[in-house]
Amino acid sequence: MTIGLASRAAVSTCVLCTAGLLVLAPAAASTAADSGPSPGSAPRATKAAPAKLLYRRGTQVRPHRKAPELPELSARAWLVADARSGDVLAARNAHRKLPPASTLKTLFALTVLPSLPAGIRHTVSEKELRGIGPGSSLVGVAEDRTYRVADLWNGVFLNSGNDAVHVLAALNGGWRVTAERMEAKARALGARDTWVKSPDGYDTPGQVSSAFDLAVFGRAGLKNPEFARYCKKRFALFPARDGSSSYPIRNTNRLLTGADDVEPYKGLIGIKNGYTSHAGHTLVAAARRDGRTLVATVMNPQEGGAHAVYEEARELLDWGFAAAGRVDPVGSLDALRDKPLTGPEAGPGPARAGALDDGGRVGAAWAVAGAALLGGAVVGVSLRLAWGPVPSD
């Protein structure tokens, strides 16, 4: 009689163990599957993570069947994005660190504009004009001459005047302080490729940015009404040295003004161009058409001469407007949201992938172990019911 009861308990126990394993096994299998393919197995077909795409070398684009073909550009790095959503439509070497030249003045303006009201009047000292690099672009700021801050900003945006940058930086706490604040501003925007040594963009060892970061700065600038107003100005008057007259200055962004036989771009609303012998020609441009605003960055074209940066930006913007709804984004200018998981030149490397696989296998092992423990517990309870209390010593 007792043997019969034990046999029935054992059978019941086996049934319960099997049920426990059947319940938990799918979870274990799912955990193992989510960990990614095991070594040697074929990878699953999944959409690549946008943040990872932007950290890869080469051209990144995700076209639909009827998407327009990307233009062939010679720039070392470029990017085009929707300014409203932040979606990056296409890019090449988006996070490649390159010297930015005067496009770095976009970050300078983002950092300093809010702290210096346009109506302030300031008399320039000789000290404030020290240290301007040889060959710098100048708007004509003179010592002992009084200027409105608005005049100095016209000098920065239109004439790319390094002399105006030096004076505004002095009003902002000094050259080094301004550089530090610019880097802090860049990080606050999620731009991690930019290192500032000279706030005016003058060639300095260690000073770099990227097509991605410059697009982030341009997009942020368009949200600032003062920045947006300055960057789209074609012409302005700048106070002359004599203190009683002024002279016209013209924006050096030829895609905006149409100077030097460069056809102006329809709908262009700024933002900033630059050039140094080390950086080559650089440009952050924004244009609006049919309710859409695009921002594009072009860094150092390798072909086509001095005006290639404008023509390549033109082709990139044309493509971006034509590609509306016909491409999936390859990333986002909302850099804080799309923080990469790995280092700056590629997607996840073998070490990271291995860590994810190990985590998945560990999760599966815990699930199986849990099933076994549940089954063991059921066995113990069943046997105890069958045999009665276990005598103690």
Side-chain angles (χ1 to χ4, degrees):
M1 184 71 177
T2 304
I3 295 174
L5 178 60
S7 299
R8 287 194 296 274
V11 170
S12 300
T13 299
C14 291
V15 172
L16 290 170
C17 290
T18 303
L21 287 171
L22 289 173
V23 170
L24 292 175
S30 175
T31 303
D34 289 343
S35 70
S38 59
S41 65
R44 294 181 300 151
T46 58
K47 284 188 176 182
K52 299 171 187 176
L53 282 179
L54 287 181
Y55 276 86
R56 294 178 183 174
R57 291 189 177 96
T59 300
Q60 307 301 328
V61 62
R62 301 167 70 196
H64 298 176
R65 286 183 58 188
K66 295 184 179 181
E69 186 175 352
L70 267 173
E72 293 185 9
L73 308 180
S74 69
R76 297 179 71 185
W78 53 261
L79 181 149
V80 59
D82 187 291
R84 182 175 182 178
S85 67
D87 288 343
V88 178
L89 307 180
R92 179 175 178 81
N93 301 330
H95 286 283
R96 183 175 185 175
K97 295 179 177 65
L98 295 168
S102 284
T103 52
L104 191 63
K105 290 182 171 81
T106 56
L107 178 59
F108 174 76
L110 283 174
T111 305
V112 179
L113 258 173
S115 62
L116 295 178
I120 290 177
R121 302 183 70 84
H122 174 69
T123 301
V124 176
S125 69
E126 180 270 337
K127 181 180 179 181
E128 292 168 343
L129 296 176
R130 291 178 190 170
I132 298 174
S136 289
S137 55
L138 305 172
V139 69
V141 177
E143 63 181 274
D144 299 327
R145 174 75 172 86
T146 300
Y147 300 88
R148 293 180 308 143
V149 165
D151 295 325
L152 297 173
W153 282 118
N154 282 333
V156 171
F157 277 95
L158 277 70
N159 226 67
S160 205
N162 288 4
D163 47 358
V165 172
H166 272 253
V167 175
L168 290 168
L171 291 173
N172 187 58
W175 201 243
R176 182 176 297 180
V177 169
T178 298
E180 292 172 353
R181 289 177 180 172
M182 288 170 67
E183 286 188 356
K185 181 67 174 179
R187 301 301 175 266
L189 292 169
R192 296 179 292 274
D193 302 323
T194 300
W195 297 95
V196 182
K197 306 299 180 183
S198 185
D200 54 5
Y202 192 81
D203 280 342
T204 307
Q207 179 158 276
V208 291
S209 190
S210 67
F212 180 90
D213 283 14
L214 292 176
V216 167
F217 304 152
R219 181 192 183 211
L222 294 177
K223 297 177 182 179
N224 180 313
E226 281 192 289
F227 185 110
R229 184 173 67 253
Y230 284 120
C231 79
K232 69 180 181 181
K233 280 188 179 182
R234 291 173 170 80
F235 302 94
L237 293 175
F238 194 80
R241 291 173 179 265
D242 61 17
S244 61
S245 61
S246 59
Y247 52 87
I249 57 174
R250 180 171 62 181
N251 201 312
T252 56
N253 183 352
R254 292 162 180 80
L255 204 59
L256 181 67
T257 64
D260 300 331
D261 297 324
V262 174
E263 183 183 351
Y265 189 80
K266 179 183 177 182
L268 199 79
I269 53 176
I271 298 173
K272 190 73 188 74
N273 60 313
Y275 171 79
T276 66
S277 57
H278 183 50
H281 291 274
T282 58
L283 177 67
V284 182
R288 185 176 295 123
R289 286 185 187 176
D290 301 325
R292 294 184 68 222
T293 301
L294 299 182
V295 59
T297 307
V298 178
M299 301 187 76
N300 198 357
Q302 301 296 289
E303 301 173 2
H307 296 163
V309 72
Y310 302 112
E311 298 310 322
E312 295 196 4
R314 182 195 311 279
E315 293 182 74
L316 202 51
L317 289 168
D318 281 345
W319 177 86
F321 284 117
R326 299 179 179 181
V327 296
D328 291 324
V330 294
S332 173
L333 294 183
D334 292 324
L336 294 175
R337 182 187 73 193
D338 281 350
K339 185 176 180 180
L341 296 175
T342 59
E345 289 300 341
R352 177 65 180 173
L356 290 173
D357 290 345
D358 290 343
R361 286 192 289 271
V362 169
W366 275 109
V368 174
L373 288 172
L374 178 60
V378 174
V379 169
V381 171
S382 300
L383 289 176
R384 188 175 182 86
L385 291 172
W387 294 100
V390 178
S392 59
D393 293 335

